[in-house]
Structures are given as C-alpha cells and as structure tokens.
C-alpha cells in the first residue's frame, strides 16, 4: 500500500516526540539517582527524637544509728495512661470498675482522698482542709453540702443511677483523685503502688479489656519503722494540679511524688534527687539509638538525731503510765477522770537534738495510707502531736524561769528570804500556798514549790520582766524545729486583750507560778530545761543530725548546733541556785520504786500541776540529768492526771539502756495497786489557786 507524504511526516514527528520524551526521562532519572540522591534519601527516612524522664530515686530516712525508718524497694505500680484510656465516660467508668474489682479480690489497697462518707446520706469527713480543697476543685460555693459535691462529680463523669450506690461512691472517689492529680494527656495517673506479682499477672492477662491500664516497675517508698516519730517523719504524695505551677520551675513533673508533711516535706530538696533524661531516636518507626544525656542522681539520705530503740522505750513508758494510772490513785486523785493523753520530749542537752519524742495516743505510719479515715476519726485524735502542738499551762515548772529572772536581775540572791504563812493577802484577795514554809530562800522555794515566795518575787519583777525572760527561754514563739511546731503565747496584758479577757494586777502573781494564760508545748519546756542545763544557752531543737549519700557511705554534711539565745548570767550562782533547787526537788519523798536518788548522779527536776478548765488539772515535769554534766533534758505532760514525775526514772533508764548501751532494766508503771502517801507528796506538786478578776 502506497503511503502519502503526510503519513511519513506524522510518523517522523511521533518518533521524534518519543525520542525526546525518553531523553527527558533519562535525564530526570539521572538527576534523581546521582545529583539529588542524598536529598531524596533524607526525604524517604522519617526521624523523630523523644525525651524520656528517668525518675530519681528518693533518699532514705534513717535513725541516729543508721537503721532505716523510711526506705525504698523495687515494686510494681498500677497506672492509667491518658492516651489510651477511653475518652467516653461510660467506657472509662467500666474500665475503672473492672480494675478495682480485680484489686479488691486480691486485697490490694488503693487510696482516694474524697472527703465524703462512704455511704449515704453523704456527709463530709472531719478533715476541713480536704473539704475546702474539694469545694474549690469543683468550683462549689462554701455552703455546698456533701450531697451537692457528689451530684457535681456524678454529673461531670456521667455516673448515673445505672450504677449501684457503692459503685457511684467508688467511681466518684477515683474520678476526683484523677482530677486532683491533673490526669491529662501529659500526665498519667497512679492508682495503686506495690502491687503483688500475682495481681500484676492477672491485670496483664486481661489487658485487652482494660484499655489505658498499664503496670510499671519503679522504686516504691516503704516504711521500715512506722512507729518511730510518725508525726515527724511525715508522708509523700502525688503533686496536685494547684501545686504544679510552683513545683514545675524546680524541675518536677506532674507524675512525681513530693513530701507532704514532716521530714519528707522539710527535707524535700535533699531527699528528692535529680531526674535524668534519656533521648530516644526513632527512624521509620524503629529505635536506632537510646542515650542517657542527663544522668539521674539519687536523693541524699537524711540521718535523724532520734534513736529508734529509745523512741520505742519512751512510747512504752508513756503508754504504760496512762494505761495503769488507776494503780496510782489515792485520796488526792480518786476523783480525776480517766487518763488517756500525754507527751514526752527528750533532748540531747549538749546540742538540742531530739533523742525521742512521743505522744499518746499515736499511730503507725504503715497504717496511714490504708486506715487513714479510721485513724483520723479515732478518739483523742492520734494524728495530733501533743509533743509539738499540744498547748498547756506549765504550772510550777515555770517557777524555774521566774527564779532565773529574779536572780539575774539582782532582785534576790541565795540568801534572800520571803515569809510564807500559807495565805498571802494581795489587793483585797487571798492567795494560798502548798504549805506554811516560814522564812524561805529561793532554793528551798523551788524544792517545795512555795507559791508565796514567787508571788512576792513577781511583785518586784513586774509582768514585763517576767514576759521578757519567758521570751528569752523560747516561750511564745516557735522553736525552729524543722517540721514545725506551735508558738503558744505568753501570759501578759497583750494576750489577755487578744483573748478578750480582763487583765488585773493579780494576774502577775498567777503568771509567775505558771498559771494565768500561758500556752506552752512539751518541746518548749524541754528546751527550757535544756537552757538551764547549759547555764543560759538556748539551742534550736533539731531532728536532722546529718546528710549522707544515698547508700549511707559518705557523710556530706553534719548539722551544727544553732544557738537561739544566750542568757548571760549576772554571776555564777544564778543557774547554780536554780539547779540546786531542782536537785532538791528530785529527792522529795518519791516512792522507792520511782526514786531518782540511786543513779550514782544527781537529777534536776521541777514538777507542776497546772489547772485546766476542761480537765481540772494536768501534770507536768521538766528536768535534766546528770545534773553536774547534763546529757539529756526532758519534759512531759499527762492530761487530767497526776504523778507524771514517776516516769522520770524510766526515762533515764531507757536512755542508759538504748543510747548508752548500758545493762539497765527499765522500770515502768505496772498494773498493780500502789499505796501512795499523799501527805508525803504534798510538797512535790503545786496546788494552784484561782484568782478573782
């Protein structure tokens, strides 16, 4: 077939077009493979870098001999991951119910802090701070009831009537805790710690039905000795949302734990350590490198001044005295009510370190998480530390301060006497004494606790100088203890005005013998005794002895004693005369089983029986031993009781046994009938009087 010229032209053009296209494709392919190969290689590879926080191990807390009080152990924690936990409330609620069912069946504890009763009708718990936080978190007004708060939580998380009342309360508690801890895409939620391995296995096996639930292995805070100064050790807890703004600038993450109270809080910067950072490089979904760019630094170990064995002995002494107080009853004490509460503080007289500090009733820190509500609502409030926050009138123990003031101001000396005829007439009122002592000097006045001597001395001192010396001895102010304590208040015109009471001249007399409106703690009064023992040097009481590396191998810092006040004596006899009176008081016809006269050294003490409107009276003592070279200073109080001084012998023996490792038996109050000669003891305790205003 003969082709036309136009056909050849078209064929030629088509061939040329194909040839040009092939050349262009070849050129483009060469450019991609050779010229731009590196660029395209980089484009093809997807690279991401992640930073992972390595949580620092918290430092431990040990006693004066290095025995752990709070330690760490490796355990499993149950967490809820925000990125995989159901956003739908109904689905999320079902996961929580399924999860808590497993925990309950395996008796694994988990804590929530919703301050509302477990059953209907709903009511707030006694924790007022927690209730205030609840209302603030839920944006409720101050008048909102427990029912109002529950309704708000149930509405927000769709916890409707399809759930049983028990399930509603359970879900509300967990949901509120998640809200408090800032559960969000950037912060996971820890529901339970130290989960047993069999429970971990069960949860992992059911992982498909529990979206968002995971198990992580981490260091768990563990209580080794929960009965050793539990009020002072304190607790750790999660960082709540309102705390995070302040803490994030210090490097904390929302899922960290932080000290909430006690030493855990006071020494937070020392205990917390420094988190590490691990950088993980991922290319096309595969981890290609993992490198720790910032090493984790474990927290330091805090060593306390407290001896744990001595602490237990002290707790036993106090508990036994209270439990067996009825065996001490006599005509003088037969009408007193049941004794239940008290406190003892023992300081190292050389530097103010706390060797032991007990309160009754008390609790075990191991039970705090699991039985918090029960402990909180227990009779006589075991969570209240009477040693540092209990406020009492000091009674005649205060006469030691009045005596120092009179001697140091040159108003009296060792030979100065006042006449005591049992009744003292002042400004149209009569004031009684414990006896009729005749002409009496200051040392004898301290021994027999003569009210009239100190009434007369107070007239010359005036309330201003009495208040001044009380302040110099540390009353009316916080002691400076790391974990905090109550300041109390003085008994003077300013205090009476604040209390809305009338000040009369007769109150000067009452204040001089420890009545009036004094409010002191046992810790403050132990420090008064310590100050007398040191001839006017008042130390700041402290609980921390030293800071060590995490493994407790190297001491990083030794805490040095801090002098809070120096009362410079007018002459050498000022504190010696007061000590002589206190030594004499230790020999005041004690029953032989409680005697302080057979130690081989002198003991200096002063007792008091201050009036208390709600309990009729308390029983107070202060002192130190050995008197010639003091090693310990102490104070104790029994609420609504008498004869607290009978514990002093046991306190000294316990110190000898546990701190000095001497072969000594500790004698305590036994549950046997003891006959006490009230006439013999009349000079040991103060019969306080009521003044007319």
């Amino acid at each position: 077939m003969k082709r036309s010229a136009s056909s050849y032209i078209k064929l030629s053009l088509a061939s040329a077009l194909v040839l040009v296209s092939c050349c262009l494709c070849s050129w483009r392919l060469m450019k991609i493979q050779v010229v731009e190969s590196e660029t395209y290689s980089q484009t093809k590879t997807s690279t991401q870098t992640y930073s992972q926080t390595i949580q620092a191990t918290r430092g431990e807390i040990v006693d004066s001999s290095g025995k752990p009080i709070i330690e760490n152990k490796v355990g499993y924690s149950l967490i809820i991951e925000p990125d995989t936990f159901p956003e739908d409330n109904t689905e999320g609620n079902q996961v929580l119910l399924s999860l808590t069912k497993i925990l309950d069946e395996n008796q694994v504890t988990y804590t929530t802090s919703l301050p509302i009763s477990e059953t209907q009708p709903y009511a707030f718990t006694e924790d007022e701070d927690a209730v205030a936080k609840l209302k603030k978190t839920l944006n409720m007004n101050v008048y909102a009831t427990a029912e109002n708060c529950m309704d708000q939580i149930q509405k927000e998380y769709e916890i409707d009537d399809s759930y049983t009342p028990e399930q509603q309360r359970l879900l509300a508690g967990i949901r509120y805790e998640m809200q408090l801890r800032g559960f969000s895409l950037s912060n996971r939620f820890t529901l339970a710690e130290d989960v047993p391995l069999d429970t971990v296995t069960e949860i992992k096996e059911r992982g498909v039905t529990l979206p968002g639930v995971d198990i992580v292995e981490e260091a768990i805070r563990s209580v080794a000795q929960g009965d050793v100064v539990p009020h002072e050790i304190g607790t750790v807890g999660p960082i709540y949302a309102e705390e995070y703004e302040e803490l994030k600038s210090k490097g904390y993450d929302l899922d960290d734990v932080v000290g909430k109270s006690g030493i855990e809080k006071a020494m937070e910067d020392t205990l917390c350590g420094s988190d590490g950072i691990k950088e993980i490089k991922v290319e096309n979904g595969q981890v290609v490198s993992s490198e720790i760019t910032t090493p984790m630094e474990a927290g330091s170990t805090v060593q306390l001044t407290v001896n744990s064995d001595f602490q237990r002995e002290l707790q036993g002494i106090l508990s036994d005295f209270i439990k067996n107080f009825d065996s001490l009853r006599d005509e003088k004490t037969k009408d007193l009510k049941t004794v239940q509460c008290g406190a003892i503080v023992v300081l190292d007289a050389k530097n103010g370190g706390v060797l032991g500090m007990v309160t009754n009733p008390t609790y075990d820190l191991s039970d705090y998480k699991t039985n918090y509500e029960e402990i909180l609502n227990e009779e006589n409030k075991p969570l209240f530390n009477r040693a540092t926050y209990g406020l009492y009138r000091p009674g005649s123990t205060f006469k030691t301060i009045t005596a120092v003031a009179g001697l140091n101001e040159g108003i009296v000396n060792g030979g100065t006497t006042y006449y005591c005829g049992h009744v003292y007439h002042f400004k149209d009122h009569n004031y009684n004494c414990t006896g009729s002592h005749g002409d009496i000097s200051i040392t004898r006045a301290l021994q027999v606790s003569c009210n009239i001597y100190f009434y007369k001395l107070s007239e010359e001192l005036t309330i201003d100088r009495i208040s001044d010396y009380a302040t110099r001895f540390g009353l009316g102010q916080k002691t400076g203890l790391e974990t905090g304590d109550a300041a109390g208040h003085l008994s003077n015109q300013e205090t009476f005005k604040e209390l809305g009471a009338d000040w009369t001249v007769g109150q000067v007399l009452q204040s001089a013998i420890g009545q009036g409106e004094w409010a002191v703690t046992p810790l403050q009064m132990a420090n008064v005794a310590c100050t007398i023992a040191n001839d006017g040097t008042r130390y700041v009481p402290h609980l921390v002895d030293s800071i060590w590396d995490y493994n407790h191998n190297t001491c990083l810092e030794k805490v040095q004693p801090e002098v809070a006040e120096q009362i410079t004596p007018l002459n050498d006899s000022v504190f010696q005369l007061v000590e002589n009176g206190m030594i004499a008081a230790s020999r005041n016809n004690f029953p032989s089983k409680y005697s302080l006269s057979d130690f081989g050294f002198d003991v200096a003490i002063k007792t008091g029986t201050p009036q208390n409107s709600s309990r009729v009276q308390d029983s107070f003592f202060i002192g130190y031993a050995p008197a010639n070279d003091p090693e310990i200073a102490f104070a104790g109080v029994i609420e609504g009781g008498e004869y607290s001084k009978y514990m002093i012998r046991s306190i000294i023996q316990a110190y000898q046994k546990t701190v000095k490792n001497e072969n000594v038996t500790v004698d305590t109050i036994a549950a046997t009938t003891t006959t006490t000669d009230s006439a013999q003891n009349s000079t040991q305790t103060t019969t306080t009087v009521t003044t007319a205003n």
Side-chain angles (χ1 to χ4, degrees):
M1 179 178 175
K2 191 175 180 180
R3 298 184 179 180
S4 64
S6 62
S7 297
Y8 284 106
I9 293 172
K10 291 178 180 177
L11 182 62
S12 298
L13 289 173
S15 299
L17 183 61
V18 170
L19 181 62
V20 170
S21 297
C22 289
C23 291
L24 288 173
C25 288
S26 297
W27 178 79
R28 182 60 178 162
L29 183 61
M30 181 186 70
K31 184 178 180 183
I32 291 172
Q33 290 181 332
V34 179
V35 180
E36 298 178 351
S37 61
E38 186 176 347
T39 301
Y40 278 91
S41 176
Q42 291 174 350
T43 303
K44 181 180 179 183
T45 304
S46 174
T47 304
Q48 292 177 300
T49 301
Y50 299 89
S51 292
Q52 187 181 89
T53 299
I54 305 173
Q55 210 166 63
T57 302
R58 196 170 177 84
E60 299 185 337
I61 302 174
V62 301
D63 79 345
S64 61
S65 62
K67 295 178 183 176
I69 299 175
I70 301 294
E71 58 187 354
N72 298 310
K73 65 178 182 179
V74 176
Y76 297 101
S77 292
L78 174 60
I79 65 170
I80 297 177
E81 294 282 9
D83 55 337
T84 52
F85 186 70
E87 292 184 14
D88 180 79
N89 283 328
T90 302
E91 293 179 25
N93 290 340
Q94 190 55 54
V95 170
L96 295 176
L97 289 175
S98 299
L99 185 58
T100 53
K101 182 180 179 182
I102 297 173
L103 297 178
D104 291 338
E105 288 173 348
N106 288 275
Q107 297 182 323
V108 177
T109 59
Y110 49 92
T111 304
T112 61
S113 54
L114 182 62
I116 293 177
S117 60
E118 293 292 331
T119 58
Q120 296 175 319
Y122 293 120
F124 291 126
T125 65
E126 293 184 12
D127 192 336
E128 295 180 0
D129 291 339
V131 172
K133 180 185 285 187
L134 168 66
K135 294 178 181 179
K136 181 179 179 181
T137 303
L138 300 180
N139 292 318
M140 308 290 285
N141 64 52
V142 294
Y143 303 106
T145 66
E147 292 282 356
N148 296 150
C149 293
M150 277 294 295
D151 289 342
Q152 179 64 24
I153 297 173
Q154 289 177 256
K155 178 182 178 182
E156 185 172 348
Y157 295 103
E158 301 178 55
I159 308 172
D160 56 31
D161 291 339
S162 64
Y163 302 97
T164 67
E166 292 77 16
Q167 290 174 329
Q168 290 176 352
R169 176 60 180 80
L170 174 62
L171 289 170
I174 297 175
R175 288 292 195 174
Y176 174 64
E177 191 69 19
M178 294 170 75
Q179 187 173 347
L180 268 186
R181 299 195 204 174
F183 180 68
S184 64
L185 284 174
S186 60
N187 186 45
R188 69 189 189 184
F189 170 67
T190 301
L191 177 62
E193 295 179 336
D194 200 14
V195 180
L197 186 58
D198 55 349
T199 308
V200 169
T201 302
E202 182 177 351
I203 291 172
K204 284 185 174 293
E205 288 175 349
R206 298 180 58 178
V208 177
T209 63
L210 297 172
V213 177
D214 198 6
I215 299 289
V216 294
E217 186 177 300
E218 57 188 8
I220 304 293
R221 205 72 168 151
S222 176
V223 178
Q225 299 186 80
D227 56 346
V228 176
V229 285
H231 301 82
E232 304 305 327
I233 296 299
T235 60
V236 295
I239 296 174
Y240 292 129
E242 70 269 18
E243 300 173 299
Y244 186 56
E245 279 303 311
E246 178 183 349
L247 292 173
K248 71 178 181 181
S249 62
K250 298 181 180 181
Y252 287 87
D253 291 326
L254 254 174
D255 60 346
D256 285 336
V257 297
V258 67
K260 295 292 185 179
S261 61
I263 287 293
E264 292 277 22
K265 181 177 181 180
M267 301 301 294
E268 173 64 25
D269 291 345
T270 299
L271 291 166
C272 70
S274 299
D275 289 345
I277 297 176
K278 178 192 287 186
E279 286 195 354
I280 302 170
K281 189 175 182 180
V282 178
E283 290 184 356
N284 295 334
Q286 298 294 317
V287 176
V288 296
S289 67
S290 176
E291 180 185 5
I292 296 177
T293 57
T294 304
M296 178 272 288
E297 293 183 14
S300 299
T301 290
V302 173
Q303 181 165 318
L304 303 183
T305 57
V306 175
N307 181 291
S308 56
D309 294 330
F310 183 47
Q311 175 74 13
R312 285 196 187 87
E313 290 283 356
L314 283 181
Q315 193 68 59
I317 291 166
L318 179 60
S319 299
D320 286 346
F321 181 91
I322 289 173
K323 181 171 63 178
N324 300 312
F325 177 74
D326 287 345
S327 67
L328 302 176
R329 289 188 184 273
D330 52 18
E331 285 298 314
K332 186 177 180 181
T333 59
K334 65 180 181 180
D335 295 328
L336 294 180
K337 296 181 180 179
T338 302
V339 171
Q340 296 178 312
C341 305
I344 299 173
V345 178
V346 182
L347 302 178
D348 185 332
K350 304 294 185 185
N351 56 35
V354 177
L355 297 177
M357 183 156 56
V358 297
T359 182
N360 196 84
T362 187
Y363 68 99
D364 192 303
L365 201 55
S366 302
D367 301 327
Y368 184 84
K369 276 192 173 182
T370 55
N371 297 319
Y372 174 75
E373 287 296 329
E374 181 180 337
I375 297 171
L376 176 67
N377 297 312
E378 192 173 321
E379 186 180 7
N380 294 313
K381 301 186 181 301
L383 290 176
F384 180 62
N385 187 359
R386 289 167 169 81
T388 55
Y389 283 94
L391 293 174
Y392 307 91
R393 289 182 177 129
S396 289
T397 62
F398 186 85
K399 291 174 181 174
T400 55
I401 296 177
T402 306
V404 169
L407 290 165
N408 212 43
E409 292 298 311
I411 295 171
V412 295
N413 57 42
T416 305
T417 62
Y418 292 122
Y419 178 77
C420 169
H422 183 63
V423 178
Y424 181 57
H425 187 75
F426 179 76
K427 303 292 183 182
D428 299 325
H429 294 288
N430 290 328
Y431 300 87
N432 295 331
C433 188
T434 56
S436 297
H437 302 114
D439 290 323
I440 188 171
S441 65
I442 197 162
T443 296
R444 176 67 176 165
L446 286 168
Q447 178 188 7
V448 299
S449 208
C450 176
N451 286 346
I452 290 178
Y453 184 95
F454 292 98
Y455 289 156
K456 292 187 175 181
L457 178 55
S458 70
E459 288 187 64
E460 297 188 61
L461 274 172
T462 73
I463 194 60
D464 290 338
R465 283 197 282 196
I466 293 173
S467 296
D468 175 51
Y469 274 86
T471 301
R472 295 169 73 179
F473 270 97
L475 304 188
Q477 59 197 287
K478 296 183 178 182
T479 64
L481 191 73
E482 298 95 329
T483 52
D485 59 338
H489 52 73
L490 308 179
S491 180
N492 55 22
Q493 299 97 319
E494 289 77 11
T495 297
F496 272 69
K497 183 178 180 180
E498 290 174 4
L499 297 174
D502 293 329
W503 174 264
T504 64
V505 290
Q507 291 296 342
V508 178
L509 277 61
Q510 292 292 72
S511 297
I513 64 167
Q515 287 298 130
E517 290 298 338
W518 295 106
V520 303
T521 68
L523 174 61
Q524 287 175 325
M525 293 309 294
N527 212 24
V528 167
C530 191
T531 304
I532 297 171
N534 286 287
D535 294 338
T537 300
R538 174 164 64 89
Y539 290 108
V540 176
H542 60 279
L543 283 159
V544 178
D545 171 80
S546 50
I547 308 300
W548 295 67
D549 66 340
Y550 179 78
N551 294 315
H552 201 241
N553 292 326
T554 304
C555 182
L556 306 177
E557 178 186 350
K558 178 73 174 178
V559 174
Q560 298 302 314
E562 180 182 350
V563 175
E565 178 77 29
Q566 181 64 60
I567 304 173
T568 304
L570 180 66
N571 52 57
D572 292 342
S573 67
V574 171
F575 288 100
Q576 188 59 58
L577 288 169
V578 174
E579 181 178 286
N580 291 345
M582 295 173 71
I583 292 172
S586 74
R587 300 168 181 163
N588 271 350
N589 299 318
F590 275 66
S592 59
K593 65 185 300 183
Y594 309 120
S595 173
L596 303 177
S597 301
D598 60 350
F599 282 112
F601 53 79
D602 288 328
V603 179
I605 70 166
K606 186 71 192 79
T607 62
T609 313
Q611 289 178 328
N612 184 298
S613 57
S614 61
R615 296 186 294 269
V616 181
Q617 67 176 50
D618 292 327
S619 180
F620 224 125
F621 66 83
I622 66 171
Y624 54 90
N628 66 321
D629 185 17
E631 296 178 19
I632 59 172
F634 46 80
V637 65
I638 295 294
E639 295 181 8
E642 178 61 286
Y643 306 132
S644 63
K645 63 187 177 184
Y646 291 171
M647 294 188 289
I648 296 175
R649 178 179 179 85
S650 300
I651 292 169
I652 296 172
Q653 289 173 329
Y655 168 75
Q656 293 173 317
K657 174 185 175 182
T658 58
V659 179
K660 301 191 72 175
N661 295 313
E662 296 178 3
N663 186 19
V664 175
T665 300
V666 180
D667 303 318
T668 57
I669 306 295
T672 56
T673 303
T674 303
T675 302
T676 306
D677 184 351
S678 61
Q680 283 184 327
N681 288 285
S682 64
T683 59
Q684 302 174 62
T685 56
T686 306
T687 304
T688 53
V689 297
T690 304
T691 60
N693 292 326

